[in-house]
Amino acid sequence: MKEKLEQIKAEALRQIASSEALDKLNEIRVNYLGKKGELTAVLKGMKELSPEERPKVGQWVNETREEIEKVLESSKKKMERALREAKMKAEVIDVTLPAKKNNVGHRHPNTIALEEVERIFIGMGYEVVEGPEVEKDYYNFEALNIPDGHPAKDEQDTFYITQDLLLRTQTSSTQVHEMEKGRLPIRMIAPGRVFRSDEVDATHSPSFHQIEGLVIDKRITFADLKGTLAEFARELFGEKTRVKFRPHHFPFTEPSAEMDVSCFKCGGSGCRFCKGSGWIEILGCGMVHPHVLEMSGIHPKEYTGFAFGVGLERIALLKYEIDDMRLLYENDIRFLRQF
Amino acid sequence: MNTALSWIKAYVPELECTDQEYCDAMTLSGTKVEGFERLDKNLEKIVVGQIEQIEKHPDADKLIVCQVNVGERTVQIVTGAPNVKVGDKVPVVLDGGKVAGGHDGGPLPEEGIVIKAGKLRGVASEGMMCSIEELGSSRDMYPEAPESGIYIFGNEDGGESLQLGSDAVEALGLRDTVFEYEITSNRVDCYSVLGIAREAAATFRKPFVAPKIEIKENGERVEDYISVEVQDTELCPRYTARVCTNIKIGPSPKWMQRRLAASGIRPINNLVDITNYVMEEYGQPMHAYDLEQVAGHKIVVKRAKDGDEFETLDGQVRKLDHDILMICDAEKEIGLAGIMGGENSKITDNVKTVLLEAATFHGTNIRKSAKRVGLRTDASGKFEKGLDPHSAQEAINRACQLIQELGCGEVVGGMVDVYAPGKETVKIKFDAEAINGLLGTDISKEEMLAIFERIELKYDAQSGMLEIPSFRQDLQGQADIAEEVARFYGYDKIPVSLPTGEATTGKLPFKLRVEQKARDIAEYCGFSQGMCYSFESPKVFDKLLLPEDSPFRQAITIANPLGEDFSIMRTVSLNGMLTSLATNYNRRNKDVRLYELGNVYLPKALPLTELPDERMQFTLGMYGEGDFYTMKGVAEEFFDSIGMRKKVVYDPKAGKPFLHPGRQADIVYDGKVVGYLGEVHPEVCDNYDIGTKAYVAVLDMPEVEPFATFDRKYEGVARYPAVSRDISMVVPKAVLAGEIEAMIEQRGGKILESYQLFDIYEGAQIKEGFKSVAYSITFRAKDRTLEEKDVTTAMKKILNGLETMGIELRA
């Protein structure tokens, strides 16, 4: 009996080894292990054996079955793997074909620069506020220490709507609105559109953007102004940026200053970008003029503050090396896609 | 303002520094140097030579061969210049030297021109004799230079005493540097050489030496010559006049010409040059009248009459009005005060006696007058800043001194001075502690006092007051004094700190957060951000087919626009968008999607009496890939991102004339119109030269914002199975999908989860006037598995409802 089983097994394993397809393996399984298969037949013939022999033969049959099954299973796996591999071989793609992009749109360079500035100042505890673009003469000039007849009023080439209403020439008007609210301390930046009657060319636009900053609190000093703006410059233009403050004049600040930053192209050694000076003029600033505080109802003996104004386009043009301001308002998609 | 450094040094004799040091130090102390230019740039190895012999060139008619003594030796130079003769002293550039430019006076090359020994038509030439243009200057600045030819040193240049072989550049006064300053409007005193010299002296801690004014008078009395009457002392607080006789017009001395030339002022003759020189020196404009032409030898200062006309000395006739101040004689007007003299009193070369005028006029009045008559001159530019009345007196005396010293004429004794003393001397309390408190510094009182001394502020220890000199009109309060301390202590030395005090929270207001979201979503959807102007042309309304009575035509007009194209404040954001799309279309850019966030300006009433309503518009525009429904998608993605989760309704009756009448809709959210969208009307596309279909959407952000929220709440994920039913309908064409959906929602009950249009078809198999529409409707309960009867009941209600709309169900 044992020889017979060995023989069946040998024959089965031989057939398995020589089969090349999954259905052939299935066929072998049915032929040997199925209900009508050869091993089942051996089991069926067991009733002719003596009761002592039966368990032994039963065990032999089971062992044989297990062995055949094991080999069948591993052959099947092998064959499946081979099949999958063959399939994948046929599925090779050209990975260098173009990407399927969602074609995400692009932010305007002004906005990218603005969001940078906002991020920096929000981090320092500043609130972003807005003011009206069509403004009263009072807020744009008088309340900023620029009374009628002041030369600065003419220098700014204001667009007027009526004698009293105009298009704001500076976001500084927002300072006054904030101070008038009477909520102290103030730490704010006010970005927005401003207007001056300059003809359009590579460096001028009748409509552009500024970001105004204002801090009012007890014991605010010029040193605080320097520290704050130096921090801002490093955040915006990089760790190694150095700043330089030069005396200047604005009617609504005293003392006033302009801030230069070390050229971020050459690091300050002088290049074409900074016209050889190593410095780039970036913003105007100063300590809020006591008269300005007074007009807005803040006591200058108790409170002091500083203010600054940055041209957004100036930053965008410098940072992204855009050589013509007109590009910012043309909205050519080939320009916008570069940001 | 441009000034030669040598002129500054005339008043700060101990000043010694390099050009760069001067530039840096002056800028840091507040007198900003915009740039500087060395007059001897690219002038190398140029010496004084004397021509000893001239021969004709053997092979060229137009060339001559000169033997030129350059001190230690004689060199041979070939030249084509026609103007030289034996004995002339000329500037000679030697072999290997450099000149600044060509003889044609064109733009100067950056690196100059190197001159090398060589041969001209076979004859050796060891250098070059220079024209004034080759030396980098021009005949405007060196009027005595020949029109084309070699510069020949005259007696004025030192002539006889000029050493052969000495530095010719020095002899020409070109060893100098011209600095360009940006003077801030508060520093009226610095629009003068003396003002800048004062700053330089204070900056470098060197003594300031003002010109010493001494006049040799001729013994006559000015009162015997002239009288002055000022009728409006407000507009003319001070009028000083002096008389000079025996005037001899001729060239002014070289040193004066050089200084004027470096400042960009062309030398004319001694009298004109002296008034210009003093104007530069003191910042005080002056005017000279020919006394013969002044009727009655009397000056009257008064306002013009409305409607009068006056011919200024440039030959133009100017219209006058009552606010314009005039200088008159006994009979007529002879000058526009502070702006320009009259043709009728113009100085000629035959002048014998002049009346010199130095006055102080009301700055704002001069500025406004100059603007109205359309004539801004050097003089008015200085007067309009509001001059110190003291400088009128100093300047007129200085001018008389120069007239006498330079042999231009005799000075009549005395000065007519009509002066209504105005402001008293300004005094400011000195409070060192307050100054340190404002600056964040710890500067000693002594150090501050030392600074005040440098800038001529007198401190009275008794009263603790600082006395401000009259030329410092900008110093009015404590903060101004703090700035003086700061700039001479050094802005760079002030320490650096960060504000202390109450902590504040940095934040972006809600409105701006919503706008940020709008940008994010637009960009995810492929739209790039554009920026457009706030003002545009009134022609825009016609381009957008807006009817005459359209409320959009109620726009704010700018009184002084840059031109009609920028004359009204936009009331609708589409023009900017369509113009941008057109720009892209004309540049053949494909598939363009743009968005803009910008205000429109809606007046509450016209003419404008109060601030208009500034409404932020989120405007989207596109052409190329995509259609109406792409636009809808962007709007809904945006709403979704700002928590607007209700069903958005589209009302096709938007009534926008600039959109395709059958392809437009108002966007309605929770019963409110929050915007509109549609295909641009083909005629509007034509008007903008967009040769393809374009789509736009405009969201009115003030309407959107109240619905926006960034709060989110988790509602659970469904745990029980859903049941779907498909329905296929034959629908009258006029019935909109939105109406079907509204019915499904209304009738679907609580278990209705969603519905989706999956087929829409019009054509052959469908009867005329109808379309085939199919929806898949999904039901689900939150708390149980639905039973067949739940769904059947709901479906029945929906179907009954649909039937009332004239819809037939298909099998």
Side-chain angles (χ1 to χ4, degrees), chain A residues 238-334:
Chain A
E239 270 303 284
K240 289 186 182 146
T241 307
R242 285 165 294 123
V243 296
K244 183 170 83 180
F245 290 83
R246 289 179 283 104
H248 198 71
H249 170 69
F250 303 106
F252 39 96
T253 52
E254 189 76 36
S256 304
E258 275 187 334
M259 184 177 88
D260 298 341
V261 296
S262 52
C263 178
F264 33 82
K265 288 285 303 240
C266 64
S269 56
C271 63
R272 264 180 61 191
F273 200 63
C274 55
K275 296 187 189 96
S277 73
W279 295 96
I280 291 173
E281 187 180 318
I282 218 77
L283 57 79
C285 55
M287 301 303 291
V288 183
H289 198 291
H291 191 225
V292 169
L293 290 173
E294 232 160 29
M295 279 187 281
S296 292
I298 295 173
H299 203 302
K301 284 249 149 60
E302 200 180 343
Y303 284 93
T304 53
F306 63 78
F308 55 90
V310 197
L312 183 55
E313 276 80 357
R314 178 159 179 75
I315 290 186
L317 295 184
L318 284 172
K319 253 190 104 120
Y320 311 124
E321 296 177 36
I322 303 166
D323 54 7
D324 191 330
M325 197 162 171
R326 284 168 289 206
L327 291 166
L328 295 174
Y329 292 92
E330 252 178 7
N331 305 328
D332 188 319
I333 199 78
R334 294 167 301 176

Side-chain angles (χ1 to χ4, degrees), chain B residues 559-574:
Chain B
N560 56 336
L562 272 183
E564 208 207 357
D565 285 351
F566 301 107
S567 64
I568 57 154
M569 300 303 286
R570 64 182 189 171
T571 55
V572 52
S573 61
L574 279 183

Side-chain angles (χ1 to χ4, degrees), chain B residues 114-131:
Chain B
V114 177
I115 302 299
K116 285 202 172 113
K119 283 185 176 175
L120 270 108
R121 291 279 184 98
V123 177
S125 183
E126 297 171 70
M128 186 179 84
M129 296 183 281
C130 308
S131 69

Side-chain angles (χ1 to χ4, degrees), chain B residues 57-79:
Chain B
H57 190 288
D59 290 325
D61 287 347
K62 290 193 174 163
L63 295 179
I64 50 173
V65 181
C66 305
Q67 302 303 321
V68 185
N69 182 344
V70 292
E72 287 164 4
R73 62 199 170 100
T74 299
V75 294
Q76 175 170 297
I77 294 174
V78 180
T79 181

Side-chain angles (χ1 to χ4, degrees), chain B residues 46-109:
Chain B
I46 302 175
V47 298
V48 177
Q50 186 165 36
I51 299 171
E52 293 183 331
Q53 191 189 326
I54 300 179
E55 287 171 339
K56 289 203 151 190
H57 190 288
D59 290 325
D61 287 347
K62 290 193 174 163
L63 295 179
I64 50 173
V65 181
C66 305
Q67 302 303 321
V68 185
N69 182 344
V70 292
E72 287 164 4
R73 62 199 170 100
T74 299
V75 294
Q76 175 170 297
I77 294 174
V78 180
T79 181
N83 69 318
V84 286
K85 59 183 189 304
V86 171
D88 281 348
K89 283 186 177 176
V90 294
V92 177
V93 55
L94 301 172
D95 177 32
K98 252 189 187 182
V99 292
H103 61 83
D104 55 354
L108 302 179

Side-chain angles (χ1 to χ4, degrees), chain B residues 295-591:
Chain B
H297 290 191
K298 182 177 182 180
I299 293 287
V300 182
V301 184
K302 61 179 183 189
R303 288 167 182 259
K305 282 201 221 52
D306 283 332
D308 276 2
E309 284 184 344
F310 180 67
E311 188 181 357
T312 42
L313 56 77
D314 57 0
Q316 299 271 322
V317 176
R318 314 276 170 180
K319 269 219 157 53
L320 306 179
D321 61 57
H322 186 63
D323 287 324
I324 293 175
L325 194 67
M326 298 301 294
I327 309 298
C328 309
D329 61 17
E331 293 165 1
K332 60 186 185 299
E333 290 146 334
I334 54 172
L336 265 178
I339 303 174
M340 192 179 265
E343 179 68 23
N344 56 14
S345 60
K346 198 155 111 178
I347 298 260
T348 64
D349 283 355
N350 303 322
V351 66
K352 285 283 159 285
T353 307
V354 296
L355 184 159
L356 275 180
E357 160 200 295
T360 311
F361 299 113
H362 189 280
T364 309
N365 175 266
I366 294 293
R367 181 155 47 85
K368 290 186 170 166
S369 296
K371 217 171 178 180
R372 277 204 308 286
V373 298
L375 179 62
R376 205 166 176 276
T377 57
D378 282 350
S380 78
K382 289 205 152 68
F383 280 122
E384 68 180 33
K385 294 179 174 76
L387 298 182
D388 171 17
H390 282 92
S391 66
Q393 182 187 356
E394 287 176 10
I396 202 165
N397 288 336
R398 173 70 166 160
C400 288
Q401 175 192 16
L402 289 170
I403 286 174
Q404 192 269 324
E405 281 181 5
L406 302 180
C408 174
E410 288 174 21
V411 180
V412 171
M415 173 175 77
V416 178
D417 183 8
V418 183
Y419 186 22
K423 284 174 273 178
E424 284 174 33
T425 307
V426 175
K427 288 180 179 174
I428 300 170
K429 180 98 188 149
F430 171 45
D431 183 345
E433 205 179 318
I435 292 172
N436 277 322
L438 186 67
L439 298 179
T441 48
D442 194 15
I443 306 169
S444 73
K445 193 176 169 184
E446 290 66 38
E447 196 172 350
M448 291 192 197
L449 289 173
I451 288 171
F452 299 148
E453 209 182 312
R454 275 151 70 192
I455 54 172
E456 302 175 43
L457 309 191
K458 284 199 201 89
Y459 178 59
D460 178 40
Q462 196 98 48
S463 61
M465 300 299 273
L466 287 164
E467 196 177 299
I468 310 302
S470 70
F471 56 83
R472 289 302 304 273
Q473 298 181 54
D474 59 310
L475 301 184
Q476 287 164 353
Q478 188 72 241
D480 301 313
I481 299 300
E483 182 173 84
E484 294 306 293
V485 170
R487 65 195 188 93
F488 288 106
Y489 175 72
Y491 273 31
D492 52 336
K493 284 202 284 180
I494 292 175
V496 174
S497 59
L498 287 174
T500 50
E502 204 178 312
T504 48
T505 323
K507 58 188 162 199
L508 199 61
F510 188 75
K511 172 180 181 277
L512 296 182
R513 285 177 67 195
V514 174
E515 286 172 16
Q516 206 168 55
K517 212 61 190 177
R519 289 198 286 269
D520 287 342
I521 296 298
E523 286 159 26
Y524 294 153
C525 296
F527 290 74
S528 292
Q529 186 182 15
M531 283 197 182
C532 303
Y533 284 146
S534 305
F535 25 62
E536 51 198 24
S537 164
K539 289 185 190 126
V540 162
F541 302 133
D542 292 336
K543 277 174 100 174
L544 291 174
L545 310 179
L546 291 166
E548 284 306 319
D549 60 349
S550 165
F552 284 127
R553 284 187 185 256
Q554 299 300 306
I556 299 162
T557 309
I558 297 168
N560 56 336
L562 272 183
E564 208 207 357
D565 285 351
F566 301 107
S567 64
I568 57 154
M569 300 303 286
R570 64 182 189 171
T571 55
V572 52
S573 61
L574 279 183
N575 174 61
M577 179 55 70
L578 293 175
T579 306
S580 302
L581 289 180
T583 302
N584 280 286
Y585 182 80
N586 291 325
R587 294 178 185 177
R588 296 166 199 274
N589 296 334
K590 274 190 193 150
D591 295 329

